Amino acid sequence: GMYKNRVRAITLGAPPVVSRSLVPPFVTSLIGGDDMVPRTTCDSLYELKTRLSTTLKRSALTLPGVGMLGDMAGLASQSLKHYTGAAHDLSSLSPAGRVFFIKARQHMEGASLQRVLRGNWREDVLWQLHQILLSNRMNSHHSIANYVAILSRC
């Protein structure tokens, strides 16, 4: 309408609420690090439950801690299967608008900002935005302080 050139929205760690095929031009979504909120959908929660169940069963038979490392190593291949399979449909959800992945970097106390292209293999394999990542920082990466700290490094 009449405000289309004046209205802009930037979201920080927004949950996946729109179809991946919709890209409102006035919305930009930022996803920081291992933030779990933009990755949380019914499918990703179910996959996390399945991964944890399998890992716990497997790790009971192996050395402590080995099961979780194997799970994290296998996420990239699972994400690639998601990309090459029929999982990309109109019912899959994503954060709204143009999506950027931001992450603090140790080198020169900098940060990286990468555009996530819809349906691109990098979206699924490199950033694993459709998988909840189990890390020590997955909750703290959702804080406003974390987003402000990363953006101040850009």
Side-chain angles (χ1 to χ4, degrees):
M2 60 196 259
Y3 297 109
K4 72 176 185 175
N5 293 325
R6 292 193 271 171
V7 176
R8 298 278 184 249
I10 297 176
T11 69
L12 303 175
V17 294
V18 298
S19 170
R20 292 173 62 187
S21 63
L22 295 175
V23 184
F26 55 88
V27 178
T28 299
S29 293
L30 302 178
I31 298 174
D34 294 342
D35 188 348
M36 63 186 274
V37 172
R39 294 175 163 92
T40 304
T41 62
C42 288
D43 289 343
S44 67
L45 288 172
Y46 179 76
E47 288 178 21
L48 175 63
K49 177 185 167 195
T50 303
R51 285 189 353 245
L52 286 174
S53 176
T54 303
T55 300
L56 291 174
K57 287 176 190 173
R58 209 180 292 145
S59 64
L61 303 172
T62 61
L63 298 173
V66 173
M68 291 306 277
L69 291 175
D71 175 58
M72 295 307 290
L75 273 179
S77 64
Q78 187 175 1
S79 294
L80 186 58
K81 287 178 191 173
H82 180 82
Y83 173 69
T84 57
H88 287 226
D89 61 4
L90 296 178
S91 66
S92 62
L93 297 178
S94 176
R98 296 174 302 153
V99 178
F100 289 86
F101 181 75
I102 59 174
K103 187 168 184 166
R105 299 290 179 195
Q106 296 298 326
H107 180 66
M108 299 179 66
E109 295 187 13
S112 64
L113 178 93
Q114 294 286 325
R115 172 98 186 257
V116 176
L117 300 174
R118 307 292 170 125
N120 187 304
W121 68 272
R122 294 179 74 175
E123 177 184 13
D124 293 314
V125 177
L126 297 182
W127 297 303
Q128 298 171 348
L129 297 180
H130 307 288
Q131 300 286 338
I132 298 173
L133 305 176
L134 298 177
S135 74
N136 295 334
R137 298 174 290 202
M138 65 185 196
N139 287 326
S140 64
H141 280 186
H142 186 65
S143 71
I144 190 71
N146 182 63
Y147 279 92
V148 169
I150 293 173
L151 290 171
S152 68
R153 298 172 102 174
C154 289

